[in-house]
Amino acid sequence: MASPDAPWLTGAWSTTALALCMASHERLGERSPLRLVASHADLLRCIMRFIELIVPDDAPSLAAAIARAAPGQRILLRRGEHHIDCGAALQPLSALPLAIRGEVGAVVRGTLVLGAGGGSIHGVRFDDAGGDCLRCVGGQWLLARLRLRCSHGCALRLSGGAQVTLERCTLGGESEQEMGTSVVMLSAYGSVQEAGIRKTACYALVLRNKARLRCTA
């Protein structure tokens, strides 16, 4: 078995991780040099950070990839839609540092909750599925080249002690240009249906408590 201090080495989601498991195994890795590092969790964490975890190649979903990732290990989202279950949108999927990157055309649909572990997300489009797009409840986060498009709740909601830096991100609620490329940044929208029935207002950004936001070019 792999070291109990490194549970992310379990499973066959990656040939590289499998090789590390075998090398650290008491019997299979008896003569492997890697057997010497099997009990050093910090060293294994450093190794795993350089192995990209690809969705859906190595893990069937973003939630599964986050559950399997080592602290700071980069998760790559392939082009296409990636869904987050409603139940997973209630609390952070991990307390560990996360690094998520998307291929061109990668879309996450649902609410992703970011916790105190901190980390970064780069190059992904987020569409809400009836709630918020991104909800940060703590930690230090770098959000770069994201497009957050919300038509129900809030594109980006910060609370607790979250500290977020935005780099070249587009945030928007509902507008006439919602489906286009011109979405007003850091503005709030409300809407009324054609029949006159009031809809729930949707917002680009909401800050609460001691949350802080910094925007860079």
Short mmCIF file of all heavy atoms in Angstrom, two decimals, residues 8 13 53-55 58-77 83-84 88 91-101 108 111-115 118 120-121 126 134 141:
data_model
loop_
_atom_site.label_atom_id
_atom_site.label_comp_id
_atom_site.label_asym_id
_atom_site.label_seq_id
_atom_site.Cartn_x
_atom_site.Cartn_y
_atom_site.Cartn_z
N TRP A 8 -3.75 10.43 -1.60
CA TRP A 8 -4.01 10.75 -3.00
C TRP A 8 -3.29 9.81 -3.95
O TRP A 8 -3.51 9.83 -5.15
CB TRP A 8 -3.59 12.20 -3.29
CG TRP A 8 -2.17 12.47 -2.90
CD1 TRP A 8 -1.04 12.23 -3.64
CD2 TRP A 8 -1.73 13.03 -1.67
NE1 TRP A 8 0.07 12.60 -2.94
CE2 TRP A 8 -0.32 13.10 -1.74
CE3 TRP A 8 -2.39 13.48 -0.53
CZ2 TRP A 8 0.44 13.61 -0.68
CZ3 TRP A 8 -1.63 13.98 0.50
CH2 TRP A 8 -0.24 14.03 0.44
N TRP A 13 -6.02 6.27 -11.26
CA TRP A 13 -6.41 7.39 -12.10
C TRP A 13 -5.26 7.91 -12.94
O TRP A 13 -5.45 8.67 -13.85
CB TRP A 13 -6.99 8.51 -11.27
CG TRP A 13 -6.12 8.98 -10.14
CD1 TRP A 13 -6.14 8.55 -8.85
CD2 TRP A 13 -5.10 9.98 -10.21
NE1 TRP A 13 -5.19 9.21 -8.12
CE2 TRP A 13 -4.54 10.10 -8.92
CE3 TRP A 13 -4.59 10.78 -11.23
CZ2 TRP A 13 -3.51 10.97 -8.62
CZ3 TRP A 13 -3.57 11.65 -10.94
CH2 TRP A 13 -3.04 11.75 -9.65
N LEU A 53 -3.40 16.40 -13.31
CA LEU A 53 -4.58 15.54 -13.21
C LEU A 53 -5.62 16.05 -14.20
O LEU A 53 -6.11 17.17 -14.07
CB LEU A 53 -5.12 15.58 -11.78
CG LEU A 53 -6.30 14.68 -11.41
CD1 LEU A 53 -5.98 13.23 -11.72
CD2 LEU A 53 -6.63 14.84 -9.93
N ILE A 54 -5.95 15.23 -15.20
CA ILE A 54 -6.78 15.69 -16.32
C ILE A 54 -8.21 15.16 -16.19
O ILE A 54 -8.42 13.98 -15.93
CB ILE A 54 -6.18 15.22 -17.66
CG1 ILE A 54 -4.74 15.74 -17.80
CG2 ILE A 54 -7.03 15.71 -18.83
CD1 ILE A 54 -4.01 15.21 -19.02
N VAL A 55 -9.17 16.06 -16.39
CA VAL A 55 -10.59 15.72 -16.36
C VAL A 55 -11.13 15.81 -17.79
O VAL A 55 -10.97 16.84 -18.44
CB VAL A 55 -11.38 16.69 -15.46
CG1 VAL A 55 -12.85 16.34 -15.42
CG2 VAL A 55 -10.80 16.72 -14.05
N ASP A 58 -8.29 11.37 -16.36
CA ASP A 58 -7.82 10.73 -15.13
C ASP A 58 -8.87 10.68 -14.04
O ASP A 58 -8.77 9.87 -13.12
CB ASP A 58 -6.58 11.46 -14.59
CG ASP A 58 -5.42 11.46 -15.57
OD1 ASP A 58 -5.25 10.44 -16.27
OD2 ASP A 58 -4.70 12.46 -15.66
N ALA A 59 -9.85 11.55 -14.11
CA ALA A 59 -10.94 11.58 -13.13
C ALA A 59 -12.22 11.94 -13.88
O ALA A 59 -12.19 12.77 -14.79
CB ALA A 59 -10.66 12.61 -12.03
N PRO A 60 -13.36 11.33 -13.53
CA PRO A 60 -14.59 11.53 -14.30
C PRO A 60 -15.21 12.91 -14.17
O PRO A 60 -16.00 13.31 -15.02
CB PRO A 60 -15.52 10.45 -13.75
CG PRO A 60 -15.02 10.19 -12.37
CD PRO A 60 -13.54 10.35 -12.44
N SER A 61 -14.88 13.63 -13.13
CA SER A 61 -15.50 14.94 -12.90
C SER A 61 -14.54 15.85 -12.16
O SER A 61 -13.52 15.40 -11.61
CB SER A 61 -16.79 14.79 -12.08
OG SER A 61 -16.49 14.33 -10.77
N LEU A 62 -14.87 17.13 -12.14
CA LEU A 62 -14.05 18.09 -11.40
C LEU A 62 -14.05 17.77 -9.92
O LEU A 62 -13.00 17.82 -9.25
CB LEU A 62 -14.56 19.51 -11.63
CG LEU A 62 -13.87 20.63 -10.84
CD1 LEU A 62 -12.38 20.66 -11.13
CD2 LEU A 62 -14.52 21.98 -11.16
N ALA A 63 -15.20 17.40 -9.37
CA ALA A 63 -15.29 17.06 -7.95
C ALA A 63 -14.40 15.86 -7.62
O ALA A 63 -13.71 15.85 -6.59
CB ALA A 63 -16.73 16.77 -7.56
N ALA A 64 -14.40 14.85 -8.50
CA ALA A 64 -13.56 13.66 -8.27
C ALA A 64 -12.09 14.02 -8.35
O ALA A 64 -11.26 13.52 -7.58
CB ALA A 64 -13.90 12.58 -9.29
N ALA A 65 -11.74 14.90 -9.28
CA ALA A 65 -10.34 15.31 -9.42
C ALA A 65 -9.87 16.07 -8.18
O ALA A 65 -8.75 15.86 -7.69
CB ALA A 65 -10.18 16.17 -10.66
N ILE A 66 -10.73 16.96 -7.67
CA ILE A 66 -10.37 17.72 -6.47
C ILE A 66 -10.18 16.79 -5.28
O ILE A 66 -9.27 16.97 -4.46
CB ILE A 66 -11.45 18.78 -6.18
CG1 ILE A 66 -11.42 19.87 -7.25
CG2 ILE A 66 -11.28 19.38 -4.79
CD1 ILE A 66 -12.52 20.90 -7.13
N ALA A 67 -11.04 15.76 -5.17
CA ALA A 67 -10.93 14.81 -4.06
C ALA A 67 -9.64 13.99 -4.14
O ALA A 67 -9.09 13.60 -3.11
CB ALA A 67 -12.13 13.87 -4.07
N ARG A 68 -9.13 13.75 -5.35
CA ARG A 68 -7.95 12.91 -5.53
C ARG A 68 -6.64 13.70 -5.57
O ARG A 68 -5.57 13.12 -5.43
CB ARG A 68 -8.08 12.11 -6.82
CG ARG A 68 -9.25 11.15 -6.84
CD ARG A 68 -9.36 10.46 -8.18
NE ARG A 68 -10.55 9.60 -8.23
CZ ARG A 68 -10.90 8.88 -9.28
NH1 ARG A 68 -10.16 8.91 -10.36
NH2 ARG A 68 -11.98 8.13 -9.25
N ALA A 69 -6.73 15.00 -5.80
CA ALA A 69 -5.53 15.80 -6.02
C ALA A 69 -4.70 15.97 -4.76
O ALA A 69 -5.23 16.10 -3.66
CB ALA A 69 -5.92 17.17 -6.57
N ALA A 70 -3.39 15.96 -4.96
CA ALA A 70 -2.47 16.30 -3.88
C ALA A 70 -2.52 17.82 -3.66
O ALA A 70 -2.97 18.55 -4.55
CB ALA A 70 -1.05 15.87 -4.24
N PRO A 71 -2.10 18.32 -2.52
CA PRO A 71 -2.13 19.77 -2.28
C PRO A 71 -1.36 20.52 -3.35
O PRO A 71 -0.18 20.26 -3.59
CB PRO A 71 -1.46 19.91 -0.91
CG PRO A 71 -1.68 18.60 -0.24
CD PRO A 71 -1.61 17.57 -1.34
N GLY A 72 -2.03 21.44 -4.03
CA GLY A 72 -1.37 22.24 -5.05
C GLY A 72 -1.21 21.57 -6.40
O GLY A 72 -0.70 22.18 -7.34
N GLN A 73 -1.65 20.32 -6.53
CA GLN A 73 -1.53 19.62 -7.81
C GLN A 73 -2.46 20.27 -8.84
O GLN A 73 -3.60 20.59 -8.54
CB GLN A 73 -1.89 18.15 -7.66
CG GLN A 73 -1.75 17.34 -8.94
CD GLN A 73 -2.06 15.87 -8.72
OE1 GLN A 73 -2.55 15.48 -7.66
NE2 GLN A 73 -1.77 15.06 -9.71
N ARG A 74 -1.96 20.46 -10.05
CA ARG A 74 -2.76 21.15 -11.06
C ARG A 74 -3.78 20.22 -11.69
O ARG A 74 -3.48 19.10 -12.08
CB ARG A 74 -1.86 21.73 -12.15
CG ARG A 74 -2.62 22.64 -13.11
CD ARG A 74 -1.72 23.49 -13.94
NE ARG A 74 -0.92 22.69 -14.87
CZ ARG A 74 -0.05 23.22 -15.73
NH1 ARG A 74 0.15 24.53 -15.72
NH2 ARG A 74 0.63 22.45 -16.55
N ILE A 75 -5.01 20.73 -11.81
CA ILE A 75 -6.11 20.00 -12.45
C ILE A 75 -6.40 20.68 -13.78
O ILE A 75 -6.60 21.90 -13.83
CB ILE A 75 -7.36 20.02 -11.55
CG1 ILE A 75 -7.08 19.28 -10.24
CG2 ILE A 75 -8.54 19.39 -12.28
CD1 ILE A 75 -8.19 19.43 -9.22
N LEU A 76 -6.40 19.90 -14.86
CA LEU A 76 -6.68 20.44 -16.19
C LEU A 76 -8.06 19.99 -16.65
O LEU A 76 -8.36 18.79 -16.65
CB LEU A 76 -5.63 19.95 -17.19
CG LEU A 76 -5.90 20.32 -18.66
CD1 LEU A 76 -5.85 21.83 -18.85
CD2 LEU A 76 -4.91 19.62 -19.58
N LEU A 77 -8.91 20.94 -17.03
CA LEU A 77 -10.23 20.65 -17.55
C LEU A 77 -10.19 20.66 -19.07
O LEU A 77 -9.80 21.66 -19.68
CB LEU A 77 -11.24 21.69 -17.06
CG LEU A 77 -11.48 21.78 -15.55
CD1 LEU A 77 -12.44 22.92 -15.24
CD2 LEU A 77 -11.99 20.47 -15.00
N HIS A 83 -19.93 19.49 -15.07
CA HIS A 83 -21.05 19.81 -14.18
C HIS A 83 -20.68 19.57 -12.71
O HIS A 83 -19.95 18.63 -12.39
CB HIS A 83 -22.27 18.98 -14.55
CG HIS A 83 -22.82 19.30 -15.91
ND1 HIS A 83 -23.86 20.19 -16.10
CD2 HIS A 83 -22.46 18.87 -17.14
CE1 HIS A 83 -24.12 20.29 -17.39
NE2 HIS A 83 -23.29 19.49 -18.05
N ILE A 84 -21.20 20.44 -11.86
CA ILE A 84 -21.04 20.29 -10.41
C ILE A 84 -22.40 19.97 -9.82
O ILE A 84 -23.37 20.71 -10.04
CB ILE A 84 -20.48 21.58 -9.77
CG1 ILE A 84 -19.10 21.90 -10.35
CG2 ILE A 84 -20.40 21.44 -8.26
CD1 ILE A 84 -18.51 23.19 -9.83
N ALA A 88 -22.77 19.29 -4.02
CA ALA A 88 -21.38 19.72 -3.87
C ALA A 88 -21.25 21.22 -3.82
O ALA A 88 -20.20 21.75 -3.50
CB ALA A 88 -20.55 19.16 -5.03
N GLN A 91 -20.73 23.42 0.11
CA GLN A 91 -19.52 23.62 0.91
C GLN A 91 -18.30 23.39 0.04
O GLN A 91 -18.39 22.80 -1.04
CB GLN A 91 -19.52 22.66 2.10
CG GLN A 91 -19.59 21.19 1.70
CD GLN A 91 -19.73 20.29 2.91
OE1 GLN A 91 -19.72 20.75 4.05
NE2 GLN A 91 -19.86 19.00 2.68
N PRO A 92 -17.11 23.86 0.49
CA PRO A 92 -15.89 23.67 -0.31
C PRO A 92 -15.63 22.18 -0.58
O PRO A 92 -15.81 21.34 0.30
CB PRO A 92 -14.80 24.27 0.57
CG PRO A 92 -15.51 25.26 1.44
CD PRO A 92 -16.85 24.65 1.70
N LEU A 93 -15.21 21.87 -1.80
CA LEU A 93 -14.92 20.49 -2.16
C LEU A 93 -13.60 20.01 -1.56
O LEU A 93 -13.34 18.81 -1.50
CB LEU A 93 -14.88 20.34 -3.68
CG LEU A 93 -16.21 20.55 -4.40
CD1 LEU A 93 -16.02 20.45 -5.92
CD2 LEU A 93 -17.23 19.51 -3.94
N SER A 94 -12.76 20.94 -1.13
CA SER A 94 -11.48 20.56 -0.54
C SER A 94 -10.98 21.66 0.39
O SER A 94 -11.24 22.84 0.16
CB SER A 94 -10.44 20.30 -1.64
OG SER A 94 -9.17 20.03 -1.08
N ALA A 95 -10.26 21.26 1.43
CA ALA A 95 -9.63 22.22 2.33
C ALA A 95 -8.16 22.43 1.95
O ALA A 95 -7.44 23.17 2.60
CB ALA A 95 -9.72 21.74 3.78
N LEU A 96 -7.71 21.75 0.87
CA LEU A 96 -6.32 21.83 0.43
C LEU A 96 -6.17 22.89 -0.66
O LEU A 96 -7.13 23.26 -1.32
CB LEU A 96 -5.87 20.46 -0.11
CG LEU A 96 -5.98 19.28 0.86
CD1 LEU A 96 -5.60 17.99 0.15
CD2 LEU A 96 -5.09 19.50 2.07
N PRO A 97 -4.94 23.37 -0.88
CA PRO A 97 -4.71 24.31 -1.99
C PRO A 97 -5.05 23.67 -3.33
O PRO A 97 -4.74 22.50 -3.56
CB PRO A 97 -3.20 24.61 -1.88
CG PRO A 97 -2.85 24.30 -0.47
CD PRO A 97 -3.72 23.15 -0.07
N LEU A 98 -5.68 24.44 -4.23
CA LEU A 98 -6.10 23.94 -5.53
C LEU A 98 -5.49 24.78 -6.64
O LEU A 98 -5.27 25.98 -6.48
CB LEU A 98 -7.62 23.98 -5.67
CG LEU A 98 -8.45 23.13 -4.69
CD1 LEU A 98 -9.94 23.40 -4.91
CD2 LEU A 98 -8.15 21.65 -4.89
N ALA A 99 -5.23 24.12 -7.77
CA ALA A 99 -4.76 24.82 -8.98
C ALA A 99 -5.53 24.23 -10.15
O ALA A 99 -5.29 23.09 -10.54
CB ALA A 99 -3.26 24.64 -9.16
N ILE A 100 -6.46 25.00 -10.71
CA ILE A 100 -7.33 24.52 -11.77
C ILE A 100 -7.08 25.36 -13.03
O ILE A 100 -7.04 26.59 -12.97
CB ILE A 100 -8.82 24.61 -11.37
CG1 ILE A 100 -9.07 23.77 -10.11
CG2 ILE A 100 -9.72 24.15 -12.51
CD1 ILE A 100 -10.46 23.96 -9.54
N ARG A 101 -6.91 24.66 -14.15
CA ARG A 101 -6.68 25.34 -15.42
C ARG A 101 -7.59 24.73 -16.48
O ARG A 101 -7.86 23.52 -16.44
CB ARG A 101 -5.21 25.20 -15.85
CG ARG A 101 -4.86 25.91 -17.14
CD ARG A 101 -3.37 25.86 -17.39
NE ARG A 101 -2.92 24.52 -17.68
CZ ARG A 101 -2.89 23.99 -18.92
NH1 ARG A 101 -3.34 24.69 -19.94
NH2 ARG A 101 -2.44 22.77 -19.11
N VAL A 108 -17.54 25.24 -16.82
CA VAL A 108 -18.04 24.62 -15.60
C VAL A 108 -19.45 25.14 -15.36
O VAL A 108 -19.67 26.36 -15.32
CB VAL A 108 -17.15 24.95 -14.38
CG1 VAL A 108 -17.80 24.45 -13.09
CG2 VAL A 108 -15.77 24.32 -14.55
N THR A 111 -22.29 25.66 -9.19
CA THR A 111 -21.62 26.53 -8.22
C THR A 111 -20.40 25.85 -7.65
O THR A 111 -20.50 24.77 -7.05
CB THR A 111 -22.58 26.90 -7.07
OG1 THR A 111 -23.73 27.56 -7.60
CG2 THR A 111 -21.90 27.81 -6.07
N LEU A 112 -19.24 26.46 -7.84
CA LEU A 112 -18.00 25.94 -7.25
C LEU A 112 -17.70 26.75 -6.00
O LEU A 112 -17.56 27.97 -6.06
CB LEU A 112 -16.85 26.05 -8.25
CG LEU A 112 -15.48 25.57 -7.75
CD1 LEU A 112 -15.54 24.08 -7.38
CD2 LEU A 112 -14.41 25.80 -8.81
N VAL A 113 -17.59 26.07 -4.86
CA VAL A 113 -17.31 26.73 -3.58
C VAL A 113 -15.83 26.57 -3.26
O VAL A 113 -15.32 25.45 -3.21
CB VAL A 113 -18.17 26.15 -2.45
CG1 VAL A 113 -17.93 26.92 -1.15
CG2 VAL A 113 -19.65 26.19 -2.82
N LEU A 114 -15.15 27.68 -3.03
CA LEU A 114 -13.72 27.70 -2.75
C LEU A 114 -13.50 28.00 -1.28
O LEU A 114 -14.08 28.94 -0.74
CB LEU A 114 -13.03 28.76 -3.61
CG LEU A 114 -13.27 28.65 -5.13
CD1 LEU A 114 -12.61 29.81 -5.85
CD2 LEU A 114 -12.78 27.32 -5.65
N GLY A 115 -12.65 27.17 -0.62
CA GLY A 115 -12.46 27.28 0.81
C GLY A 115 -11.15 27.91 1.23
O GLY A 115 -10.46 28.59 0.45
N GLY A 118 -7.12 27.98 -0.43
CA GLY A 118 -6.56 28.91 -1.39
C GLY A 118 -6.11 28.22 -2.66
O GLY A 118 -6.22 27.01 -2.81
N SER A 120 -5.56 28.77 -7.23
CA SER A 120 -5.75 29.56 -8.43
C SER A 120 -6.66 28.83 -9.42
O SER A 120 -6.71 27.60 -9.43
CB SER A 120 -4.40 29.86 -9.10
OG SER A 120 -3.78 28.65 -9.53
N ILE A 121 -7.36 29.61 -10.25
CA ILE A 121 -8.17 29.08 -11.34
C ILE A 121 -7.87 29.93 -12.56
O ILE A 121 -7.89 31.17 -12.49
CB ILE A 121 -9.67 29.11 -11.03
CG1 ILE A 121 -9.97 28.38 -9.71
CG2 ILE A 121 -10.46 28.46 -12.16
CD1 ILE A 121 -11.44 28.42 -9.32
N PHE A 126 -17.43 29.96 -16.37
CA PHE A 126 -18.38 29.44 -15.39
C PHE A 126 -19.78 29.93 -15.72
O PHE A 126 -20.01 31.14 -15.86
CB PHE A 126 -18.01 29.89 -13.98
CG PHE A 126 -16.81 29.18 -13.40
CD1 PHE A 126 -15.53 29.62 -13.68
CD2 PHE A 126 -16.96 28.07 -12.57
CE1 PHE A 126 -14.42 28.98 -13.15
CE2 PHE A 126 -15.86 27.42 -12.05
CZ PHE A 126 -14.59 27.87 -12.34
N LEU A 134 -19.21 31.28 -8.78
CA LEU A 134 -18.11 31.02 -7.86
C LEU A 134 -18.45 31.62 -6.50
O LEU A 134 -18.89 32.77 -6.42
CB LEU A 134 -16.81 31.64 -8.36
CG LEU A 134 -15.94 30.84 -9.34
CD1 LEU A 134 -14.71 31.65 -9.72
CD2 LEU A 134 -15.54 29.50 -8.76
N TRP A 141 -7.08 33.53 -3.17
CA TRP A 141 -7.34 32.96 -4.49
C TRP A 141 -6.93 33.92 -5.59
O TRP A 141 -7.16 35.12 -5.50
CB TRP A 141 -8.82 32.62 -4.64
CG TRP A 141 -9.25 31.50 -3.76
CD1 TRP A 141 -9.76 31.59 -2.49
CD2 TRP A 141 -9.15 30.11 -4.05
NE1 TRP A 141 -9.99 30.34 -1.99
CE2 TRP A 141 -9.64 29.42 -2.93
CE3 TRP A 141 -8.72 29.39 -5.17
CZ2 TRP A 141 -9.68 28.02 -2.88
CZ3 TRP A 141 -8.76 28.02 -5.13
CH2 TRP A 141 -9.25 27.34 -4.01
#
